[in-house]
Amino acid sequence: MTIKSVIQETPDIKTFHLVFQDEEMRKNFRFETGQFAEYSAFGSGESTFCIASSPTRMDYIECCFRKTGKVTDALFGLSEGDTIGFRGPYGNIFPLDKFEGKNLIFIGGGIALPPLRSVIWNVLDTRDRFGDISIVYGARSVDDLVYKRELKEWHERDDVTLVKTVDPGGETDNWDGHVGFVPTILENEFAPKPDNTIAIVCGPPIMIKYTFEALERLGFTQDQMITTLENRMKCGLGKCGRCNIGSTYVCIDGPVFWAEEIAEMPQEF
């Protein structure tokens, strides 16, 4: 694929807007929200992360990644017009058919917003199928927030409630959001009602754990909470054994899991 444009989200996070080089492949390509892919920088290897764009917008693919190692360092160095390797899609999906008619709360932290972004835009592009839409998003600091342009767009929409927060000490003088950790702000400041509502959560494992606990105190049941564990994946093909939780391989069996499925996994998660 060709990198059509590059957005510098933070000092170490970029978004690539990718277009197919083969027209026939572009016409036939399909994916669903929640799935992931393998992205390669030639000569350096492949890296696994989600497709961050919505399947309602099929002319392109977007991905967002942090520079954390050999492959992502090489990807980070690519520019507009460069070619990037792409294999996919892989993995299971967010079951949008089970979300229909329900209120949806998206809860994410830091670089975990890209997997949620695919679902958010999928839902907003088919808005009449769903109830109230809320987004609770936080990061360590204002500088660490990704998709700042889209946070502004969601904030300005009448049919979306956006709650944004940064960790204590991460605010700036003109910060207009909350200050506090995502689970705390969710429970004490936003306090959503569980009636006819699904919570879609993504973040580091410790954030998912505390967010699920906060949601349970608010009255949510495990069949109302769903997440993606994509940040555990390495090879993405079930070969390296680094994403498994007990006998469950995130890349093969997931990456999307309901809270009740995670509750059955070993406590290492």
Side-chain angles (χ1 to χ4, degrees):
M1 302 188 77
T2 298
I3 301 173
K4 186 174 182 180
S5 62
V6 178
I7 299 171
Q8 186 90 38
E9 301 285 356
T10 75
D12 61 353
I13 297 175
K14 284 184 175 179
T15 288
F16 283 172
H17 183 100
L18 307 172
V19 293
F20 287 93
Q21 295 179 349
D22 185 291
E23 178 61 16
E24 198 64 25
M25 186 172 293
R26 184 193 68 78
K27 289 180 180 176
N28 295 326
F29 181 76
R30 295 289 182 274
F31 75 98
E32 294 188 67
T33 189
Q35 292 190 290
F36 63 91
E38 303 282 348
Y39 304 85
S40 57
F42 301 122
S44 297
E46 288 184 319
S47 191
T48 307
F49 33 86
C50 73
I51 301 172
S53 49
S54 169
T56 52
R57 307 175 183 193
M58 291 301 292
D59 287 342
Y60 62 87
I61 285 173
E62 288 182 335
C63 63
C64 181
F65 62 96
R66 171 177 283 148
K67 184 171 63 169
T68 58
K70 176 184 174 184
V71 178
T72 50
D73 282 0
L75 290 170
F76 205 82
L78 298 178
S79 305
E80 292 181 10
D82 287 342
T83 295
I84 181 174
F86 176 87
R87 290 196 296 144
Y90 300 111
N92 66 351
I93 63 173
F94 283 103
L96 293 186
D97 58 326
K98 295 183 178 179
F99 296 175
E100 286 197 17
K102 298 185 182 300
N103 305 318
L104 303 179
I105 304 173
F106 297 92
I107 307 164
I111 189 61
L113 186 57
L116 297 181
R117 175 182 181 259
S118 175
V119 199
I120 290 169
W121 279 120
N122 198 152
V123 166
L124 292 179
D125 286 347
T126 54
R127 186 65 183 86
D128 59 347
R129 295 168 55 192
F130 306 96
D132 297 337
I133 304 296
S134 304
I135 302 167
V136 181
Y137 174 56
R140 289 178 300 179
S141 71
V142 174
D143 285 344
D144 290 316
L145 295 166
V146 298
Y147 299 129
K148 292 181 179 69
R149 62 206 174 278
E150 294 178 35
L151 294 176
K152 181 176 183 296
E153 181 177 345
W154 295 334
H155 175 70
E156 292 174 348
R157 288 182 65 131
D158 294 333
D159 59 350
V160 174
T161 299
L162 175 67
V163 178
K164 58 183 182 181
T165 185
V166 294
D167 294 351
E171 68 272 28
T172 56
D173 290 342
N174 61 350
W175 173 241
D176 59 353
H178 294 274
V179 176
F181 299 111
V182 169
T184 303
I185 297 300
L186 171 75
E187 182 174 10
N188 298 333
E189 302 292 337
F190 185 49
K193 303 293 185 186
D195 304 330
N196 194 41
T197 300
I198 299 288
I200 304 103
V201 182
C202 189
I206 192 66
M207 195 212 88
I208 295 174
K209 169 182 166 62
Y210 287 126
T211 299
F212 278 179
E213 291 176 355
L215 287 166
E216 287 181 337
R217 287 192 292 272
L218 290 167
F220 284 74
T221 56
Q222 291 186 341
D223 61 354
Q224 292 177 280
M225 302 182 290
I226 192 168
T227 188
T228 173
L229 303 181
E230 67 134 40
N231 67 352
R232 290 184 65 96
M233 294 188 298
K234 300 300 179 185
C235 76
L237 302 171
K239 302 296 184 184
C240 71
R242 297 180 66 178
C243 72
N244 64 300
I245 308 170
S247 61
T248 299
Y249 280 72
V250 172
C251 61
I252 300 298
D253 303 308
V256 177
F257 297 93
W258 289 95
E260 54 196 352
E261 295 176 297
I262 291 177
E264 298 295 321
M265 297 178 184
Q267 290 300 307
E268 64 186 75
F269 172 73

